[in-house]
Amino acid sequence: MNRDILSHDEAAESLEAIRSVLDRATRYTHVTWAGVFLVGLVGVLASGFGWVCQLSPSESPEGFLYLWCGALLTALSLGFCATAQKARRAREPVLSRKLLLVSVGLFPSFVVAGLLTVLFADAGTLEFAPGAWMALYGLGILGVGHLLDWEFQLTGWGFLVASAAALFLLRASPHASMLVSFGGIHLGLGFFRYYKERTWQPK
Amino acid sequence: MAAEMKLSQYQSLNPVIHEKTRLAIMTYLISVGETAFTELKTELRLTDGNLNLHMKVFEKHRFVKVSKAFIDRRPRTTYAITDKGRRAFEEYVSLLERILSLGRRSRLQE
């Protein structure tokens, strides 16, 4: 066999390698297991606190909103700190082009969630808010799914399923649905990322 | 005839880019733009030594330009593709596409 000749298959293999690297180059990989885990922990603690203090969306809407706005801000801060720490460890800029793409992709979901929350609060139907938050968060993740690893796309679908359950089956138990979704799904993803990051070895 | 054309095309395939790891590095730099050493290492799953070795080859052929800076008192090395490197990559991809189209035509003729 003449090895001086580059065959059709070898050329195809090289082009496939280029495609595969191009795909990897657009992926955002700085979401850490610790960040996702902490976000899940915030979800669990907020649900527990809401349940203990009886902060239901129908009976104490203000308390319910304050609780989850606080939880959102805490989760975003912790997630950002964990991401920034990973970027610094890797000696890379924290505000990278890829982080900007992911943030811009998620932004519309957060805006619509905010608007719907105001609308629900005004109409006195805040019990619909948890389901709507889950649906919009899931859609947001799926919207930027092509920039993230496959498990995030699964997480997006998980939130959509949780949203359906929260809206049609668990509307009377908002703390339980928030515990399972924003707590449980994030904790599960955090554990999975921990396993994935720990078992990865450089060639 | 087809084999002769393949041979002549292979000889003009740039050996600096054709190596598998270097092809991945070049593709990443073309796609992302200026990239830190650590990002290249992590994303392409290479070791320090391996990546260093390949970057030296690129530097020698002036396919990449290196920038060194200190961020938070820690050294940071970044690489960016040069015009020469970009041209070489484009020629390489175009040659691969020509080989593929040649192969398709040969198969159709058979």
Side-chain angles (χ1 to χ4, degrees):
Chain A
M1 190 179 169
N2 186 353
R3 291 305 303 153
D4 287 340
I5 299 171
L6 185 70
S7 71
H8 176 273
D9 290 344
E10 283 170 320
E13 203 179 296
S14 290
L15 277 177
E16 189 48 45
I18 290 172
R19 275 192 208 105
S20 151
V21 174
L22 284 175
D23 174 54
R24 204 180 310 160
T26 53
R27 242 181 292 149
Y28 183 65
T29 53
H30 278 183
V31 183
T32 63
W33 71 267
V36 177
F37 189 85
L38 285 172
V39 169
L41 207 59
V42 170
V44 169
L45 291 175
S47 307
F49 185 81
W51 182 70
V52 169
C53 298
Q54 303 276 302
L55 298 174
S56 84
S58 49
E59 282 159 30
S60 52
E62 280 188 4
F64 184 79
L65 279 182
Y66 284 136
L67 170 68
W68 283 104
C69 284
L72 172 69
L73 289 176
T74 311
L76 283 177
S77 310
L78 288 172
F80 181 77
C81 286
T83 303
Q85 198 185 17
K86 185 175 180 182
R88 268 199 292 270
R89 262 204 309 266
R91 298 180 200 178
E92 289 169 20
V94 176
L95 300 171
S96 64
R97 189 181 62 95
K98 290 184 199 174
L99 176 63
L100 189 72
L101 284 175
V102 172
S103 308
V104 167
L106 283 172
F107 187 67
S109 295
F110 280 85
V111 171
V112 175
L115 291 174
L116 281 180
T117 304
V118 173
L119 185 77
F120 290 143
D122 264 1
T125 53
L126 204 58
E127 63 271 21
F128 291 107
W133 293 341
M134 289 169 212
L136 287 162
Y137 187 61
L139 286 173
I141 294 176
L142 288 173
V144 293
H146 61 287
L147 299 168
L148 302 166
D149 290 331
W150 64 268
E151 57 267 25
F152 286 93
Q153 297 187 32
L154 199 65
T155 302
W157 281 108
F159 272 97
L160 289 186
V161 172
S163 158
L167 287 170
F168 298 107
L169 303 172
L170 296 167
R171 214 183 309 156
S173 322
H175 304 301
S177 62
M178 292 297 270
L179 174 77
V180 171
S181 58
F182 287 99
I185 295 177
H186 280 130
L187 285 181
L189 180 65
F191 275 122
F192 181 81
R193 295 284 300 179
Y194 173 79
Y195 174 77
K196 197 175 164 184
E197 287 172 29
R198 291 287 146 142
T199 50
W200 175 81
Q201 292 294 323
K203 279 178 195 169
Chain B
M1 178 63 183
E4 278 169 23
M5 280 180 79
K6 280 182 199 169
L7 178 62
S8 66
Q9 281 169 336
Y10 177 69
Q11 283 166 341
S12 55
L13 268 177
N14 196 321
V16 178
I17 302 178
H18 187 56
E19 199 279 331
K20 208 175 165 186
T21 309
R22 284 200 291 272
L23 177 61
I25 296 170
M26 199 79 170
T27 307
Y28 197 91
L29 288 175
I30 289 271
S31 168
V32 175
E34 188 168 3
T35 309
F37 180 90
T38 42
E39 182 179 340
L40 275 174
K41 190 183 83 167
T42 313
E43 296 295 333
L44 300 175
R45 302 185 175 186
L46 300 167
T47 59
D48 282 10
N50 200 357
L51 180 56
N52 248 324
L53 204 73
H54 291 302
M55 294 321 288
K56 290 266 184 285
V57 176
F58 282 137
E59 282 178 57
K60 189 180 150 196
H61 288 85
R62 294 183 184 168
F63 280 7
V64 295
K65 61 172 181 245
V66 194
S67 306
K68 289 177 194 273
F70 278 86
I71 291 177
D72 293 337
R73 295 179 191 171
R74 298 171 78 182
R76 182 167 179 260
T77 306
T78 55
Y79 297 96
I81 213 100
T82 61
D83 288 343
K84 187 183 175 192
R86 188 175 294 276
R87 270 197 308 275
F89 184 80
E90 284 167 2
E91 279 165 18
Y92 176 82
V93 174
S94 149
L95 267 174
L96 287 183
E97 283 167 348
R98 270 156 53 199
I99 291 171
L100 279 179
S101 108
L102 186 76
R104 267 186 232 116
R105 260 184 279 151
S106 311
R107 282 178 190 182
L108 281 173
Q109 281 166 5
E110 283 166 18

